[in-house]
Amino acid sequence: MEYIEEQRSEGTDPSASPFESVDTNTTPDTEYSLPGSPISKPSPPNDCRSVARQKLAQLTLEEKVSLLTAADFWRTKSIPSKGVPAIKTSDGPNGARGGIFVGGTKAAQFPCGVSLAATWNKRLLYAVGQHLADETKARSANVLLAPTVCMHRHPLGGRNFESFSEDPLLTGKLASKYIQGLQSKRVAATIKHFVANEQETHRLTIDSLLMERPLRELYLRPFEIAIREANPWAVMSSYNLINGTHADMNSHTLKDILRGEWGYDGTVMSDWGGVNSTVESIKAGCDIEFPFSSKWRFEKALKAVEEGRLTMGDINAAVENVLTLVERTKSGDMSIEEAEREDNREETRALIREVGAEGITLLKNRGQVLPLDPNTTRVAVIGPNSNRAIAGGGGSASLNPYYNTIPLDSIRAVAQREVVYAQGCHIHKWLPVASPFCTDKSGEPGVTLEWYSGDRFQGDVAVTQTRTNTDLFLWDSAPLAQLGPEWSAVATTYLRSRATGKHTISFMSVGPGRLYIDGELALDLWDWTEEGEAMFDGSIDYMVEVEMQAGKPIELRVEMTNELRPISKQKAFNMTHKYGGCRIGFKEEDQVDYLQQAVDAARAADVAIVIVGLDAEWESEGYDRKTMDLPSDGSQDRLIEAVVEANPRTVVVNQSGSPVSMPWVDKVPTILQAWYQGQEAGNALADVLFGRQNPSGKLPTTFPRRLEDTPAYHNWPGENLRVLYGEGLYIGYRHYDRSKIAPLFPFGHGLSYTTFEYGRPSLSRKVLTESAPIHLVMAVTNTGAVAGSETVQIYIRDDKSRLPRPEKELVAFEKVFLEPDETKHITVSLDKYAVGYYDDSVPAWIAEEGTFKVLVAASATDIRRSIAFEVRESFTWTF
């Protein structure tokens, strides 16, 4: 699911849920279920498309067109009289959130996409998919809006953490297993975002300009692999344009390639607010528009049929695809949608911990500082991320986890000696939410929300709610059924500080907003004009200092409406009302020297563990990062430099979803890349630090030394709403190979607490043909003292090609677990997909006559073995 930016419409926002909906966490009886119908949950038929066609034949034109737009924010339209139930979608890639964006039903939070990819473990990805299916069902949903398979084109991409890798083969193979696991339990996967959606800057309007070869070989390739191997039941079109045409109406990608060459038989849905036409999007193959909107379809689609601009064939094809998705996930089940529930299972918790530990990547371990001995090592835990839960990035991937594990707590739970803690520095982009310090009118933790119909606070309170979070962006959870399209609300909470001092309160507003402190107007943002950097529309973060006494509450009251701000947008977008909401942050006054505390703690310890990185504010959907440097203002770099000077036995743990600059890399002996590990982040990290788990993660993305070394440096993020993919085929390790630039840490790199030896590979035969693959067999031996896993990476180099090709390309990988001194043989299949490239002059994929070298590697720069085979006669194919 994605955020909706401004669209032209009349009056109120057409993308909000229809007024007959109750809210986004329940389903109206009459709209979605036949009242009094028996509860029946039939098994899916063998041929869902045949059943879809039968139901299609019973529908009127108006009923057909009604199915081409969602019924509310998350659900499809039902037609109970014709046996068509609604199905519910849910974000997202690292957990099934359910119907409320912030503070909704608690859910299992898995490691982020890049961390899943760092495991290089296909078996685990399948298991993750299965558990996500159970979580999706617990949210009473049928479709998970995942996985995200966009490429890591540039290290500043805001959603890199949510995506898998810079390599299309690794991405496609892991996504396939994830999808197979999901759909094995009859939950639809929605692979996204189709296609060339590698940045958040101007994401609704940016035009991605790229040649056909990189489109095919890089950006379409993960989708192609997943559709061939896993057949995801849904594909989500992206927001951006592709070579001048929006993705939802791009006939080349949707019609010619996806439906035509690949023969895809699933359903294409728009990204949320990502439909840009009536006729063109339906004809191109965008079957269903999300969320509910009256902007492009309904009457306009009926009129297009009447005028002959859309044919009945166009309508029927789209509706049949929608009905097929319904049949695949829910069949004729007309039972009332159950309320969302928690399903906090021990086996899911254990899997998340296992997957988290496998994704952690040991980048450097000079002097074998790790693993730590829990019985003898005095540890100092230092850093801004060490005593808080950094579980995931921001945006559609966010959710309300069942629980969090914090590194400091988890380390203390294992260590037998005293563990000293020092924060070291702050890295706030915005002040932390005030929620931990707040109680509502009843005295319980949270905020009281009192809603009024209309935007003037008039009449009686129509709805009263309690929210647990002071992040009150209300874009998907306003009770519009009771309020109507225009509303006003008063949020009240009581804030208690733990210490006496001059503390800081922050306030940002989506629509008009005023913050009162103990009845006095503190911040008036009723007519704000300066927009902030956040996923949702909103003002910048304004701050006010307040003298507070420890434990003595102050009243915070916010008045807000959903009138559109800045006011200039009302005329520009022909819209008066859209979303409303606010965010209240709070930070107590600093009363200590954090850096000196960190130095003192490091000196007193045997080993200093410095936990730094980014968080969901710095790395999120909705915007790209501005720099590869650790935030903020060099504070974390200064902290690391000071700690390693005080204690040379320093371990730096970086939590981020993409590469960061490491100016201290040569001084620090040990570095762990810990990604975002979900609800078991602290425990997974402690398992690796103390040797309970041997790290086996490998980088799915290159860590460059400098931003200037990166492939898209000269073409990021574009200009005048166009971005040229000028690096062509050469992203990631392909670029570093071609340019002969040494990265900081190469693609595929990752150390272990043991060592591995690669045996000499052999091939089942020396000639590859179109119909018969070659099998590579080789031995891997654990030559160290502890058990561990190694990922063997297989690259192919084309010795001579008519068109330019990368120096090498990943074509296969296998992960193998070995006890000390154990040897196992692995077998890897090499087929036509391992040697082909796309030639748009044919146009087709081609395996050219010639010699190919197999490179057996531990990383993109650590080639251990090689062997050659040949293709004696060129051949071509399309899918």
Side-chain angles (χ1 to χ4, degrees):
M1 206 292 300
E2 320 296 88
Y3 161 57
I4 311 161
E5 295 185 31
E6 292 84 7
Q7 301 176 19
R8 292 185 177 274
S9 183
E10 295 179 4
T12 59
D13 175 30
S15 298
S17 300
F19 309 136
E20 61 267 27
S21 298
V22 176
D23 59 43
T24 61
N25 203 27
T26 59
T27 303
D29 294 342
T30 54
E31 172 64 18
Y32 299 99
S33 303
L34 189 62
S37 62
I39 296 176
S40 60
K41 297 187 177 181
S43 299
N46 291 329
D47 188 351
C48 294
R49 189 162 288 277
S50 292
V51 177
R53 286 175 183 147
Q54 293 169 15
K55 291 187 176 181
L56 173 68
Q58 301 170 21
L59 301 180
T60 67
L61 174 59
E62 288 74 13
E63 288 171 333
K64 291 175 183 178
V65 169
S66 75
L67 291 174
L68 302 185
T69 299
D72 67 357
F73 215 89
W74 302 112
R75 299 169 183 85
T76 63
K77 169 80 174 176
S78 72
I79 307 176
S81 63
K82 302 293 177 66
V84 179
I87 56 175
K88 179 182 175 183
T89 65
S90 174
D91 281 330
N94 65 323
R97 183 179 64 237
I100 294 180
F101 202 91
V102 176
T105 306
K106 287 189 174 182
Q109 185 164 14
F110 286 76
C112 66
V114 69
S115 184
L116 295 177
T119 70
W120 294 60
N121 190 322
K122 290 172 275 192
R123 176 190 62 83
L124 281 183
L125 268 289
Y126 183 86
V128 166
Q130 289 188 307
H131 283 254
L132 281 170
D134 292 334
E135 280 287 297
T136 305
K137 291 176 181 178
R139 307 295 98 76
S140 295
N142 317 94
V143 180
L144 188 68
L145 304 175
T148 304
V149 298
C150 303
M151 290 285 92
H152 293 187
R153 177 175 174 253
H154 194 281
L156 300 186
R159 297 183 82 170
N160 284 359
F161 74 92
E162 186 183 322
S163 307
F164 286 126
S165 171
E166 70 185 32
D167 183 80
L169 184 282
L170 177 62
T171 299
K173 292 290 184 180
L174 294 177
S176 295
K177 292 300 181 182
Y178 179 110
I179 292 163
Q180 290 169 12
L182 263 176
Q183 296 185 170
S184 72
K185 293 197 169 186
R186 205 182 167 195
V187 170
T190 310
I191 192 168
K192 61 184 187 181
H193 308 87
F194 195 77
V195 62
N197 177 198
E198 276 68 47
Q199 67 184 65
E200 293 298 282
T201 304
H202 303 304
R203 61 183 180 154
L204 261 74
T205 49
I206 194 74
D207 188 1
S208 299
L209 306 175
L210 67 170
M211 300 288 284
E212 191 73 5
R213 274 193 75 194
L215 175 65
R216 298 280 191 155
E217 294 187 25
L218 297 177
Y219 302 101
L220 285 170
R221 188 85 189 282
F223 294 95
E224 177 190 340
I225 292 169
I227 285 167
R228 184 164 54 239
E229 298 183 2
N231 191 32
W233 293 341
V235 169
M236 183 187 290
S237 60
S238 55
Y239 282 135
N240 53 286
L241 296 86
I242 307 149
N243 293 328
T245 305
H246 268 289
D248 67 291
M249 47 194 276
N250 195 300
S251 292
H252 181 54
T253 53
L254 287 180
K255 193 171 184 179
D256 300 342
I257 298 174
L258 181 65
R259 297 287 190 195
E261 295 177 19
W262 299 356
Y264 178 60
D265 75 340
T267 306
V268 176
M269 67 174 68
S270 76
D271 207 336
W272 265 234
V275 166
N276 295 277
S277 65
T278 299
V279 173
E280 293 87 343
S281 68
I282 294 173
K283 279 185 172 292
C286 184
D287 303 312
I288 182 167
E289 174 189 21
F290 270 97
F292 171 87
S293 172
S294 58
K295 182 177 182 182
W296 290 115
R297 299 193 173 186
F298 292 114
E299 294 301 323
K300 291 181 180 178
L302 290 171
K303 187 175 182 181
V305 172
E306 180 183 331
E307 294 174 350
R309 293 181 291 120
L310 281 173
T311 68
M312 284 305 301
D314 298 327
I315 299 294
N316 287 341
V319 175
E320 184 181 308
N321 289 330
V322 175
L323 291 173
T324 298
L325 181 62
V326 173
E327 290 302 314
R328 282 172 161 166
T329 57
K330 206 171 181 183
S331 239
D333 179 5
M334 299 303 300
S335 58
I336 294 173
E337 182 187 301
E338 297 175 358
E340 293 184 5
R341 59 182 174 85
E342 297 180 16
D343 190 19
N344 189 359
R345 302 182 184 183
E346 171 57 34
E347 57 267 32
T348 301
R349 298 194 294 270
L351 175 65
I352 293 172
R353 186 166 180 167
E354 178 187 5
V355 175
E358 276 215 27
I360 291 174
T361 308
L362 181 60
L363 299 179
K364 186 179 179 183
N365 196 23
R366 188 179 68 219
Q368 283 70 55
V369 177
L370 294 181
L372 305 176
D373 185 334
N375 297 310
T376 62
T377 308
R378 291 174 302 163
V379 175
V381 179
I382 299 166
N385 283 4
S386 57
N387 195 26
R388 60 187 189 130
I390 308 301
S396 297
S398 61
L399 51 76
N400 185 17
Y402 291 131
Y403 59 88
N404 278 308
T405 57
I406 294 171
L408 177 61
D409 294 342
S410 299
I411 291 168
R412 281 178 168 161
V414 178
Q416 300 302 302
R417 302 289 299 273
E418 180 187 6
V419 175
V420 180
Y421 162 68
Q423 180 172 310
C425 64
H426 294 296
I427 61 166
H428 307 308
K429 185 172 187 178
W430 305 294
L431 293 191
V433 288
S435 313
F437 300 87
C438 292
T439 54
D440 63 19
K441 286 187 173 182
S442 70
E444 296 297 316
V447 183
T448 301
L449 268 177
E450 295 171 315
W451 302 81
Y452 298 84
S453 295
D455 63 2
R456 301 302 173 93
F457 305 93
Q458 294 177 341
D460 295 331
V461 173
V463 179
T464 300
Q465 296 179 335
T466 298
R467 299 293 177 96
T468 59
N469 201 302
T470 58
D471 185 341
L472 295 169
F473 285 88
L474 302 168
W475 68 298
D476 67 341
S477 56
L480 300 181
Q482 294 94 325
L483 303 176
E486 300 174 9
W487 57 260
S488 45
V490 176
T492 306
T493 192
Y494 299 90
L495 178 72
R496 288 175 174 83
S497 63
R498 301 187 183 107
T500 297
K502 183 179 285 186
H503 306 318
T504 306
I505 296 170
S506 68
F507 177 57
M508 66 170 67
S509 189
V510 179
R514 294 189 180 103
L515 172 68
Y516 295 85
I517 300 177
D518 283 337
E520 297 292 326
L521 180 62
L523 289 169
D524 188 345
L525 305 187
W526 205 256
D527 290 311
W528 63 266
T529 57
E530 188 173 355
E531 295 188 65
E533 184 186 71
M535 177 181 167
F536 304 112
D537 301 335
S539 69
I540 63 172
D541 208 20
Y542 291 88
M543 300 186 193
V544 59
E545 291 185 337
V546 182
E547 291 282 358
M548 298 180 66
Q549 299 295 316
K552 182 179 179 181
I554 61 172
E555 183 192 69
L556 303 182
R557 190 176 86 249
V558 173
E559 297 175 349
M560 55 189 170
T561 83
N562 70 326
E563 190 178 358
L564 182 58
R565 290 292 185 271
I567 291 175
S568 59
K569 287 189 175 182
Q570 295 187 18
K571 182 176 181 180
F573 296 100
N574 194 25
M575 182 189 301
T576 58
H577 292 73
K578 195 175 183 184
Y579 313 129
C582 67
R583 182 186 186 278
I584 305 170
F586 179 67
K587 178 184 172 296
E588 293 184 307
E589 180 183 19
D590 291 334
Q591 298 178 337
V592 298
D593 184 338
Y594 287 115
L595 187 60
Q596 187 60 50
Q597 276 191 342
V599 169
D600 293 344
R603 283 179 179 152
D606 297 322
V607 173
I609 302 170
V610 188
I611 304 176
V612 297
L614 309 175
D615 59 25
E617 293 180 352
W618 293 102
E619 200 164 9
S620 173
E621 176 184 354
Y623 47 88
D624 295 311
R625 292 163 64 201
K626 302 298 184 185
T627 173
M628 215 167 67
D629 297 340
L630 285 170
S632 60
D633 300 322
S635 60
Q636 295 188 83
D637 292 332
R638 289 191 295 272
L639 173 64
I640 294 167
E641 297 269 6
V643 168
V644 75
E645 184 176 339
N647 188 335
R649 288 175 60 80
T650 291
V651 177
V652 171
V653 178
N654 179 59
Q655 293 179 307
S656 69
S658 50
V660 300
S661 301
M662 298 183 182
W664 32 262
V665 67
D666 295 329
K667 299 177 183 178
V668 174
T670 301
I671 304 171
L672 279 173
Q673 177 62 30
W675 315 109
Y676 301 132
Q677 299 291 6
Q679 65 189 33
E680 286 286 341
N683 289 338
L685 176 60
D687 288 345
V688 169
L689 288 171
F690 290 100
R692 292 182 167 189
Q693 295 290 333
N694 191 346
S696 62
K698 299 271 191 175
L699 290 180
T701 195
T702 304
F703 273 48
R705 290 190 177 275
R706 309 179 309 151
L707 192 62
E708 292 85 349
D709 292 341
T710 57
Y713 177 72
H714 296 292
N715 296 287
W716 178 274
E719 58 187 48
N720 296 326
L721 300 181
R722 292 176 295 175
V723 57
L724 177 66
Y725 282 43
E727 66 281 0
L729 297 171
Y730 302 100
I731 68 169
Y733 64 88
R734 294 162 168 83
H735 159 76
Y736 295 96
D737 283 348
R738 181 176 176 84
S739 301
K740 294 182 171 54
I741 296 173
L744 184 63
F745 295 107
F747 174 82
H749 171 72
L751 304 177
S752 171
Y753 296 153
T754 189
T755 53
F756 301 96
E757 183 178 287
Y758 291 20
R760 189 181 302 276
S762 64
L763 298 175
S764 59
R765 48 201 188 83
K766 293 289 188 177
V767 178
L768 175 69
T769 65
E770 182 173 8
S771 58
I774 293 173
H775 292 93
L776 177 146
V777 180
M778 61 170 287
V780 185
T781 303
N782 182 347
T783 54
V786 295
S789 296
E790 173 69 340
T791 298
V792 179
Q793 301 160 43
I794 310 298
Y795 297 84
I796 290 285
R797 175 183 297 146
D798 189 347
D799 278 352
K800 186 179 180 181
S801 174
R802 186 171 56 85
L803 298 183
R805 299 193 69 176
E807 181 178 313
K808 63 178 179 291
E809 296 172 83
L810 184 73
V811 299
F813 58 93
E814 291 296 332
K815 191 165 192 174
V816 57
F817 175 80
L818 297 164
E819 296 289 346
D821 297 322
E822 184 181 9
T823 298
K824 287 182 180 177
H825 286 80
I826 63 170
T827 302
V828 175
S829 177
L830 303 173
D831 57 17
K832 65 184 182 181
Y833 300 111
V835 297
Y837 68 89
Y838 193 82
D839 186 345
D840 59 357
S841 71
V842 176
W845 291 88
I846 183 169
E848 278 190 337
E849 173 188 347
T851 303
F852 294 84
K853 187 169 289 184
V854 182
L855 307 175
V856 181
S859 80
T861 62
D862 185 4
I863 310 301
R864 302 286 182 89
R865 299 281 187 173
S866 66
I867 193 169
F869 66 89
E870 62 178 325
V871 172
R872 290 183 177 167
E873 186 174 348
S874 299
F875 56 89
T876 63
W877 69 95
T878 56
F879 182 59

